[in-house]
């Protein structure tokens, strides 16, 4: 079972990423773009995810993933229940979401520095 602590230091250590609290919810941003956010009760993690792939993800594992609310469907976003993710998987989602919002040169540098992923 993943918790917020499993990804907190990772999100803070990624290049150009920083944590913010918005209405007491923890979010990670690059510039003004939010790429990971946690629910107020810290049980749900929302993260950047390709729009064209999210329906398949949710359909394949509806007990773990869900679409964002209707007003947020225009964004590249999906949500997961943290209790259904293992810590390694949660960290991988954070890094993949971060990759969507930073320049490719930063993702290449991350890959060189972490050849086995965020593990």
């Amino acid at each position: 079972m993943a918790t917020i602590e499993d990804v907190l230091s990772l999100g803070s250590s990624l290049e150009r990423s920083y944590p913010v609290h918005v209405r007491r919810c923890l979010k990670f941003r690059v510039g003004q773009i939010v790429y990971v956010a946690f629910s107020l009760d810290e049980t749900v993690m929302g993260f950047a995810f390709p729009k064209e792939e999210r329906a398949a993800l949710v359909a394949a594992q509806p007990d773990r993933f869900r679409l964002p609310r209707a007003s947020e469907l225009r964004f590249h976003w999906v949500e997961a229940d943290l209790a259904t993710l293992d810590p390694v998987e949660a960290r991988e989602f954070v890094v993949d979401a971060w990759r969507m919002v930073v320049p490719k040169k930063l993702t290449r540098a991350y890959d060189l520095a972490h050849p086995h992923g965020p593990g």
Side-chain angles (χ1 to χ4, degrees):
M1 178 171 113
T3 65
I4 227 173
E5 287 77 25
D6 294 322
V7 299
L8 186 59
S9 63
L10 173 63
S12 297
S13 71
L14 293 170
E15 184 87 22
R16 298 188 187 178
S17 176
Y18 60 95
V20 295
H21 285 87
V22 179
R23 294 186 210 107
R24 299 184 337 212
C25 294
L26 175 64
K27 298 181 179 199
F28 284 99
R29 289 183 177 169
V30 169
Q32 292 300 309
I33 301 171
V34 174
Y35 70 93
V36 171
F38 296 91
S39 63
L40 189 58
D41 63 2
E42 300 180 356
T43 61
V44 177
M45 180 175 79
F47 53 95
F49 195 83
K51 281 186 198 178
E52 57 278 356
E53 296 175 21
R54 69 181 175 195
L57 177 72
V58 171
Q61 299 179 59
D63 56 320
R64 300 177 72 203
F65 301 100
R66 62 177 167 261
L67 294 174
R69 57 183 175 232
S71 63
E72 296 177 348
L73 284 174
R74 68 183 186 273
F75 300 115
H76 293 266
W77 200 254
V78 72
E79 296 178 346
D81 290 318
L82 274 174
T84 65
L85 302 177
D86 67 58
V88 171
E89 186 177 33
R91 287 190 290 272
E92 289 172 353
F93 283 127
V94 169
V95 170
D96 289 345
W98 170 81
R99 288 174 186 280
M100 290 182 67
V101 299
V102 296
K104 297 292 182 214
K105 68 180 182 179
L106 294 181
T107 64
R108 285 191 297 272
Y110 179 86
D111 291 341
L112 290 172
H114 303 89
H116 301 291

